Amino acid sequence: MKPKKRTFIKYGRQQWEVDFGPDEAGARRRPYFPTEAEADEEIKKYQKNEKLMGDYLARLPAPERRMVGAVLLEIKAGGLSLVRVWAEYQAHKKHLETHHNILPMGFAKVVAEFKRRKLAAGKTERYVNSTATFLLKFGLGREKQPIHEITADELEKWLETKTLKEKWSLSTKRAYTLTFSNLWAVAVAKGWASINIVDRLEPMKKPGQVVKIYSNEDALHIMAAALADPLTQKIIAPLALGLFGCMRPEEIVSAKALSAGLSGEKLFGWHDIDLDNGLITVRVEIAKTGDQRTIRLQPAAIEWLKLAKQLENPLPPVNERRLVDQCCELVGLKEWIRDGLRKNCCTHLRAVYKNDYDVVKDCGNSIRILMKHYAGLHVPEASSLEYWKITPDRVRQYLQSTTWQRLIEKTTPPANSTSESPAARSANESAKPVG
């Protein structure tokens, strides 16, 4: 195609465009220039290069010219371009050049090295073990297969199958894909694979973060469920520390300190809580951000923590996850929001302090995060002030109400159930005085 030149006005100035027609990939190259002389110079360069290529092809023997034409037709018929074929060949060649230096290593042994590295980096044993268990689900039946033999297509097919069967959300699938990427990164670093096959998967856009908090009613239900049963009374402290003391869950369980091999008084406990002065010290060993902070407790938080101490709640908590699940089942709470208790506290503290800098002093986050995630919810001040009225006395009254009775009747399984559910047991226990 002969280059075509045209003039047009852009930003109030005359410009010259040169249309060189479509390239091998089908895209049109149409650069523009501020002067006609520059446009003409570009056309001359193109024509010179075209003549050189024409001379080259003209000097080729006829059979080779026919072969070039035939190959180009096959490439286009396959929906590819000459540029893409060359790029993929170069990538394949590079892979072959490095492949002979690979030390074959079975998938299960790579997972074991992954675990060792994560534990050494300070990740919790619980997190590392659960992640390894997930990775080995993919490795079922291929534990001894060298990881460099596993293809991106195999991993992609497995991820798609799991997504359909287990109804993964986009964010869940993205998180699991990143986990596999981290595993293959270990294999590449150790010389057990030449490439990270996850790089060949279709990249997933990170979903926008949806900020959620519990309603005042949900917060009331959570504390009522905890108070209603002698078993769940053992987790009043961690629930109150989140809902009313704005502590992070990993701080309450001393995740950072445990990862560092600390124990005893070095872990978060009642010795860090000053109920007489209404203060909590989140030490450097405990704080997620690595900065010590002091939390000022609101009256509701002090009342809940005094009750929890009277009930001899252990800190760090014991069997917290199981008992939280029991509370959720009792009140029919379907979604346990990630770090949701603390998010409630941070949100409603704004109405108490009326100064966001004071809020972040307690929460240990930045003004930017506070404004983006919590101020952006625009919770009415009246609702926030009502939140701080969820005290033990308020909850005890609620446990005696018909509203509570109707709620647990709704969540209680049919009478022919083989065992007494937490909801049924709570219905019986809630009639008894607590604390």
Side-chain angles (χ1 to χ4, degrees), residues 31 38 132 153 203 224 249 254 258 276 283 285 306 323 343:
E38 291 178 82
D153 288 341
S254 300
L258 289 170
D276 292 334
R283 291 175 280 110
E285 301 93 332
K306 282 183 176 179
L323 295 174
K343 288 176 181 176

Side-chain angles (χ1 to χ4, degrees), residues 329-359:
E329 179 188 352
L330 176 61
V331 295
L333 187 64
K334 302 299 183 184
E335 181 183 15
W336 187 254
I337 302 171
R338 177 179 171 78
D339 205 7
L341 306 185
R342 168 184 154 85
K343 288 176 181 176
N344 267 59
C345 186
C346 291
T347 300
H348 298 305
L349 268 179
R350 298 184 70 241
V352 175
Y353 286 132
K354 300 185 185 301
N355 184 323
D356 288 329
Y357 285 98
D358 278 333
V359 177

Side-chain angles (χ1 to χ4, degrees), residues 6 42 62 148 168 202 230 244 310 315 348 374 393 401 424 434:
R6 75 178 183 91
E42 190 69 16
H148 74 272
W168 288 350
E202 185 69 24
F244 306 106
Q310 177 189 337
L315 285 176
H348 298 305
Y374 307 122
D393 284 342
S401 70
V434 180

